[in-house]
Amino acid sequence: MDLIASIPSPSSNRIGPFHAYGLMIALGVVVAYFIADRRWRRMGGRDETFGDMAVWIVVWGVIGSRIYHVVSDIQLYNGRGFDGVIDAFKIWDGGLGSWGWLLAGAITIIVLAHRRGLDALRMMDAVAPGVFVAQAIGRWGNWFNQELFGRPTDLPWGLEIDEFHRPAGFQDHATFHPTFLYEALWNLIIVGFVIWAERRFRFRRGQSAAALLALYTAGRFVWENLRIDPANEFFGLRLSALVSMGAFVFALAWFVWLGRRDVEPPPLEQGLPPARDFDDPAPLSRRSRDQQDLEEATSPEGSDDIDDVTSDQQAPGPDR
């Protein structure tokens, strides 16, 4: 059958001297940082707060994603001795499980927010859109590696896969569903939708993150059932498809619960409460009254008030 059109795959998984997969991951991290930092400051947070936390979120996210991949595909590394151990660390060859970095990243945010007296739900709202944009960028690393594609298709946007990368039983098929592209586009769509929705409907704290997780997992369930690469299955479903179902139910319930239980925040366009109430590492309830008074007195506005009071006390009255 003559193809009307198709998406070619790269002949190499490198860009110059660098592994393309690693570059896509790095690019995604940078973009996610700028999106999250901008949203955090727009909410009223301090400029330096998110920057101090970002490194830990990224590091533990990558560690968690690799651990999930190795554990969920342990058969790829078992029985190979030292070579299997070494391969478990080669993240540039692919193998970062989305569920691992989502879970590890969320735990890191909760722990750091608790230790620094920040609002964890607002932090998740700030971080979540950038995370899914980063996921969209990272999926292009799968394109360079010719991996994570779907079942054969004759659609005009079918993805060309070299015979070497085709799974057993599919050597006679030339084009496959580009599930990496489906997920990348879906992520960008849901991020745009949630950013619009949080302005239109005034989401409560944490609901942006919950909505993104619910929408992502709904799409991920579809893409997982299109994929044909080897994977562990339970009850006739791929492991990632089962995780998607569970995460979707959790995210939907979380979104509803937040809408019923949490206090509605101010509109995002107008900003959230002042930084002292929003992300101060030492909330007022934990401070001494003397420290609060000292800060107010040394602020520009506080200094003006002190000068006014002092002048009123020292100036002679009209009867003197």
Side-chain angles (χ1 to χ4, degrees):
M1 175 179 179
D2 294 332
L3 296 176
I4 300 175
S6 61
I7 301 174
S9 289
S11 58
S12 171
N13 64 353
R14 303 181 73 90
I15 299 178
F18 304 104
H19 287 272
Y21 185 87
L23 283 179
M24 295 299 103
I25 295 297
L27 177 60
V29 168
V30 172
V31 172
Y33 169 79
F34 281 107
I35 293 175
D37 183 61
R38 176 179 173 81
R39 284 173 61 83
W40 181 253
R41 288 186 287 109
R42 191 171 186 174
M43 289 176 177
R46 291 195 178 96
D47 293 347
E48 68 276 9
T49 300
F50 182 76
D52 294 341
M53 298 176 61
V55 174
W56 293 108
I57 296 173
V58 171
V59 169
W60 284 109
V62 171
I63 292 174
S65 65
R66 188 60 180 180
I67 290 175
Y68 176 87
H69 166 74
V70 172
V71 172
S72 61
D73 289 311
I74 192 66
Q75 72 278 359
L76 300 177
Y77 307 96
N78 269 344
R80 298 178 54 207
F82 187 70
D83 289 339
V85 174
I86 294 299
D87 287 347
F89 290 91
K90 293 181 178 179
I91 64 173
W92 52 85
D93 287 338
L96 290 177
S98 303
W99 306 118
W101 59 255
L102 283 174
L103 180 60
I107 293 174
T108 304
I109 290 173
I110 292 172
V111 171
L112 291 178
H114 176 73
R115 294 183 62 180
R116 302 186 182 198
L118 311 180
D119 189 326
L121 289 177
R122 281 181 177 151
M123 178 62 75
M124 289 183 182
D125 284 339
V127 171
V131 166
F132 289 106
V133 171
Q135 173 77 349
I137 296 173
R139 280 306 181 203
W140 287 91
N142 301 132
W143 177 56
F144 278 94
N145 285 347
Q146 296 195 44
E147 60 186 2
L148 307 190
F149 46 87
R151 62 179 65 126
T153 181
D154 291 329
L155 292 171
W157 55 84
L159 177 66
E160 298 176 9
I161 297 295
D162 295 341
E163 186 173 353
F164 175 78
H165 293 94
R166 300 172 195 169
F170 294 93
Q171 284 81 7
D172 294 335
H173 299 274
T175 57
F176 300 79
H177 278 284
T179 50
F180 84 91
L181 181 60
Y182 297 160
E183 184 171 337
L185 293 177
W186 177 248
N187 282 10
L188 297 179
I189 290 171
I190 64 175
V191 167
F193 172 76
V194 169
I195 290 176
W196 169 82
E198 65 186 1
R199 289 164 169 77
R200 176 66 177 81
F201 300 105
R202 299 178 63 189
F203 281 0
R204 297 181 179 182
R205 296 161 55 248
Q207 282 193 303
S208 294
L212 278 168
L213 181 59
L215 290 170
Y216 171 74
T217 52
R220 180 65 182 268
F221 180 80
V222 176
W223 321 141
E224 282 295 328
N225 285 291
L226 281 176
R227 285 168 51 175
I228 57 174
D229 53 298
N232 292 319
E233 294 188 358
F234 300 91
F235 309 108
L237 290 174
R238 296 166 63 95
L239 175 60
S240 288
L242 285 174
V243 175
S244 297
M245 291 175 59
F248 174 79
V249 173
F250 165 78
L252 192 60
W254 186 32
F255 181 88
V256 173
W257 181 82
L258 288 170
R260 293 179 177 179
R261 297 292 299 274
D262 200 15
V263 178
E264 186 175 0
L268 189 60
E269 290 289 343
Q270 298 179 12
L272 297 180
R276 173 176 291 176
D277 297 330
F278 178 49
D279 72 336
D280 200 309
L284 289 178
S285 60
R286 304 177 190 175
R287 294 180 172 188
S288 65
R289 178 57 59 181
D290 291 341
Q291 183 178 358
Q292 178 186 359
D293 293 341
L294 178 61
E295 289 181 355
E296 292 177 351
T298 55
S299 66
E301 295 180 0
S303 300
D304 294 340
D305 294 340
I306 292 176
D307 292 341
D308 294 341
V309 173
T310 304
S311 61
D312 290 343
Q313 292 175 349
Q314 295 179 352
D319 294 336
R320 293 181 182 178

